[in-house]
Amino acid sequence: MHKILFTGCTFSEDTIDELKYQGLEIIPASNHLADKELIDYLQQVDAVIVNGSEYYSEDVLKAVPNLKVIQFFGIGYQTCIDMEVARKYHKIVMNTPKVNSYSVAEFTLGLLMTLNQKHLCFERECRNGVWKEKTFFDLKDKTVGILGMGHIGYYFAEIMYHAFHANILYYDFYEKKEVEKFHAKKVSLKEIFQESDIVSLHLPLTDLTRGMIDRKYFSLMKKDSYFINTARAEIVDFESLYEALLNDQMLGCAFDGFWEEPVDLNAKEAKLLTLPSEKFLLTPHTAFNALEGVRRVERMCIENLLQFFQTGDCKHIVKK
């Protein structure tokens, strides 16, 4: 029987009981464990499924020599561990690529439509007795610039092309032949921001992309354009974004996630929240959280762990 800690556990009691028959004992825990609590738990287990806010620092990992596997509940394992530290302490890191990509792409469209069609503004004003029309633009035939043509970028391109006949531009480190069927064109970052009516960010957070999107790109945007970010907030320089919104460099912006989560209202980045929601719309890093997507992530986490414990290997081990 392999013991598995699951922070922010999403399994029902019935599922936990069923997994025992497969040789996995699931130990549910809070999604906000302090380091000492985390170490106490990890000393008892073979693996952990990470769905909480904890960070697997060097101090944590050197205290838990028996921990073999860190399975991230989703894609962005970088938020919970530095791979150099993981390798130093011989920890296997796994994630669940692709499984919630469509959910994030669909959520991206929802953010765009909420901003453009002013749903929140209309709802708030109607409740307060204000019956006032405002204009918005059709998405049909607009130019959509996609930063990062991975799985999420691909699905967003597919949605925008088929639903709205969008003209697709994309920026990526590599040419993506699979999006040629959407007549997508690979261009520079500068061209994306100059030519797009909607810019949608789907790049991974790396040393190269951290702070990549700054004032030199926001200054190129059309005044009647939108910027949507369902990737990591840290890819964007927040001062540059704040200035661009304050100076009406774009119509509005939406983020799923923030520089610090949950939001620290005393942090410098929180001044973005002084802007109205029509300018800066924020959701709590939940784009992946469709019921179907969560079930798919759960299944892949278990498949990964079973494969690793049975064979010593898994196709979803992070190699970077």
Side-chain angles (χ1 to χ4, degrees):
M1 183 75 70
H2 296 285
K3 292 187 175 182
I4 315 295
L5 177 67
F6 191 171
T7 62
C9 181
T10 59
F11 290 148
S12 67
E13 290 185 12
D14 287 344
T15 299
I16 291 173
D17 288 340
E18 289 170 10
L19 289 171
K20 288 180 181 178
Y21 291 102
Q22 299 183 60
L24 302 180
E25 180 183 347
I26 303 296
I27 301 171
S30 164
N31 59 353
H32 295 294
L33 293 177
D35 281 2
K36 186 179 184 308
E37 295 176 286
L38 181 60
I39 289 169
D40 288 344
Y41 273 116
L42 293 176
Q43 287 173 337
Q44 311 168 42
V45 301
D46 304 300
V48 56
I49 302 174
V50 183
N51 191 31
S53 60
E54 73 273 13
Y55 190 78
Y56 293 77
S57 65
E58 183 158 4
D59 287 342
V60 169
L61 294 188
K62 70 182 180 184
V64 291
N66 294 326
L67 179 72
K68 299 179 182 67
V69 180
I70 297 169
Q71 167 67 63
F72 189 73
F73 194 84
I75 301 171
Y77 62 89
Q78 300 94 333
T79 60
C80 78
I81 194 164
D82 183 313
M83 284 303 298
E84 291 296 325
V85 175
R87 278 190 283 269
K88 179 178 178 180
Y89 290 94
H90 310 290
K91 308 304 181 189
I92 299 296
V93 177
M94 301 190 291
N95 66 351
T96 60
K98 302 182 185 181
V99 291
N100 53 19
S101 298
Y102 182 80
S103 303
V104 177
E106 194 173 284
F107 195 90
T108 302
L109 174 60
L111 290 176
L112 170 59
M113 296 188 74
T114 299
L115 271 180
N116 178 46
Q117 297 177 346
K118 302 173 176 61
H119 297 160
L120 294 180
C121 180
F122 286 142
E123 204 275 344
R124 182 177 64 248
E125 290 186 352
C126 287
R127 283 178 181 269
N128 289 308
V130 178
W131 202 263
K132 184 179 179 182
E133 296 177 356
K134 299 177 190 291
T135 59
F136 50 87
F137 60 68
D138 286 338
L139 296 181
K140 187 176 183 295
D141 298 326
K142 292 299 185 288
T143 296
V144 177
I146 297 176
L147 305 179
M149 192 56 82
H151 301 297
I152 298 169
Y154 173 89
Y155 283 130
F156 188 59
E158 182 179 46
I159 291 170
M160 298 306 294
Y161 178 76
H162 287 299
F164 303 106
H165 307 287
N167 172 37
I168 307 294
L169 305 178
Y170 75 96
Y171 169 83
D172 199 280
F173 301 119
Y174 306 100
E175 195 90 32
K176 298 298 179 85
K177 296 293 185 182
E178 61 270 26
V179 296
E180 289 180 357
K181 59 188 172 185
F182 308 140
H183 303 286
K185 179 182 177 185
K186 186 175 184 293
V187 297
S188 67
L189 269 177
K190 181 179 178 181
E191 289 173 283
I192 289 277
F193 282 89
Q194 279 181 325
E195 298 180 22
S196 300
D197 301 299
I198 298 115
V199 178
S200 191
L201 178 55
H202 303 288
L203 290 165
L205 176 63
T206 67
D207 290 340
L208 288 175
T209 62
R210 188 180 298 274
M212 172 191 282
I213 309 304
D214 58 18
R215 59 178 52 85
K216 69 176 173 286
Y217 295 115
F218 289 131
S219 68
L220 301 173
M221 292 184 72
K222 299 178 181 180
K223 299 288 187 182
D224 57 352
S225 62
Y226 291 106
F227 181 72
I228 313 292
N229 180 12
T230 49
R232 297 290 176 176
E234 296 93 326
I235 300 171
V236 179
D237 178 72
F238 92 91
E239 286 285 5
S240 300
L241 175 63
Y242 181 74
E243 289 172 14
L245 291 168
L246 203 61
N247 296 325
D248 297 323
Q249 189 60 55
M250 66 183 91
L251 282 176
C253 170
F255 270 48
D256 181 49
F258 209 64
W259 285 263
E260 184 174 345
E261 300 174 1
V263 176
D264 178 357
L265 294 178
N266 296 312
K268 56 188 179 180
E269 294 89 353
K271 67 182 180 180
L272 281 163
L273 299 178
T274 64
L275 300 171
S277 57
E278 300 88 75
K279 277 285 186 186
F280 182 75
L281 175 64
L282 179 64
T283 55
H285 201 153
T286 194
F288 68 94
N289 211 21
L291 289 173
E292 296 87 350
V294 171
R295 299 291 89 84
R296 290 192 294 266
V297 174
E298 288 176 346
R299 285 195 297 273
M300 186 175 285
C301 284
I302 294 306
E303 289 167 4
N304 286 352
L305 290 167
L306 287 172
Q307 185 180 16
F308 178 80
F309 286 128
Q310 290 166 6
T311 69
D313 198 7
C314 175
K315 64 181 178 180
H316 297 131
I317 290 175
V318 176
K319 304 292 187 182
K320 297 177 182 178

